[in-house]
Amino acid sequence: MTSPRSNPLPLGATLLTLVMVPVLIWLGFWQLQRREWKHNVQAELTRAASLPLVTPREFLDAMAGSKSLQFRRATVDCRPGRVTPYDIKGGSSAAGEGGYRVLVACRDPAKRYTHGPDIVVVAGWAPRPDAVKTLDLDTSFTGTIIEHPYDKQPGRPLFLLIPTTAVSPLLPSRIPTPDELPDNHLSYALQWFAFAITLAVIYAIYVRRWRRER
């Protein structure tokens, strides 16, 4: 019969704990690094709002994937005349009311259409999705650019402009800010650290019982 001294610890549980505890701790620190990265991104996007208006050259660079226009400000001429909405998406008004944003296609910044417009504009906000059927557009919008509003779906616009104004009878839509980007990294890090501590405590309890039984 093997004595406790010749085999003081359960081999399987010990190896598992020695592997998993460092992994869980590493995941916790990785989330802290991600949190720092997210804060740097938010600071960069906040600075983007203070840059000059986007130029046609910058639009072309962004379409080619060599430049980001996220949260940059731009002016888009929107003079197609009477049009139907390109899309209706859920969103809030500038006053914070829940409802729908009415999106319209104005033009292609590159002056060429391939699989649809490269940019769409929020013409305004409405409390109901059927508030407007058509709109008369002969204006210029200035607002904030959101990249990939359709998550890079083929044939969908690359950019969404959310202006500070709206086309009657619509109301202005709320403009998102960089600090609204999800930042759950600290809570994720604390969870990984908690998992590591929990595993270590379970292992200690298990070893204590294992020794008693032997």
Side-chain angles (χ1 to χ4, degrees):
M1 183 175 179
T2 304
S3 65
R5 290 185 178 180
S6 63
N7 190 15
L9 295 173
L11 181 60
T14 300
L15 290 177
L16 177 64
T17 303
L18 288 175
V19 170
M20 291 305 301
V21 168
V23 169
L24 294 172
I25 293 175
W26 176 84
L27 288 172
F29 282 110
W30 176 69
Q31 285 294 339
L32 292 179
Q33 292 174 353
R34 292 279 295 173
R35 183 171 185 254
E36 182 178 356
W37 166 82
K38 179 63 70 62
H39 289 173
N40 291 335
V41 170
Q42 290 175 326
E44 183 177 346
L45 293 177
T46 299
R47 289 193 295 270
S50 62
L51 295 176
L53 294 176
V54 174
T55 65
R57 178 73 252 179
E58 288 177 314
F59 261 125
L60 291 174
D61 290 341
M63 290 167 61
S66 61
K67 187 179 186 62
S68 173
L69 300 182
Q70 186 77 328
F71 286 101
R72 287 285 303 274
R73 289 179 55 78
T75 295
V76 173
D77 281 333
C78 199
R79 309 181 189 279
R82 180 170 289 273
V83 297
T84 58
Y86 173 83
D87 196 6
I88 305 293
K89 296 173 69 73
S92 302
S93 69
E97 300 174 278
Y100 299 87
R101 294 181 297 178
V102 180
L103 278 58
V104 294
C106 299
R107 66 178 180 86
D108 182 337
K111 300 296 185 182
R112 58 182 174 82
Y113 282 89
T114 52
H115 302 290
D118 289 310
I119 185 169
V120 288
V121 176
V122 177
W125 172 93
R128 304 188 316 276
D130 58 349
V132 294
K133 300 297 183 182
T134 61
L135 288 168
D136 287 318
L137 297 175
D138 184 15
T139 185
S140 179
F141 289 110
T142 298
T144 300
I145 291 179
I146 302 298
E147 292 185 317
H148 304 296
Y150 292 92
D151 297 327
K152 299 183 180 181
Q153 295 179 22
R156 287 294 199 170
L158 301 177
F159 312 105
L160 170 68
L161 182 79
I162 307 178
T164 55
T165 57
V167 176
S168 180
L170 302 174
L171 297 176
S173 178
R174 185 183 66 84
I175 300 177
T177 57
D179 57 9
E180 296 175 14
L181 295 174
D183 182 10
N184 299 320
H185 299 294
L186 179 59
S187 62
Y188 291 155
L190 295 177
Q191 288 178 11
W192 287 121
F193 291 143
F195 291 154
I197 294 172
T198 301
L199 179 58
V201 171
I202 292 175
Y203 171 74
I205 294 174
Y206 174 77
V207 169
R208 183 177 180 182
R209 292 180 177 177
W210 181 81
R211 285 176 172 174
R212 284 180 178 177
E213 292 176 356
R214 292 178 64 86

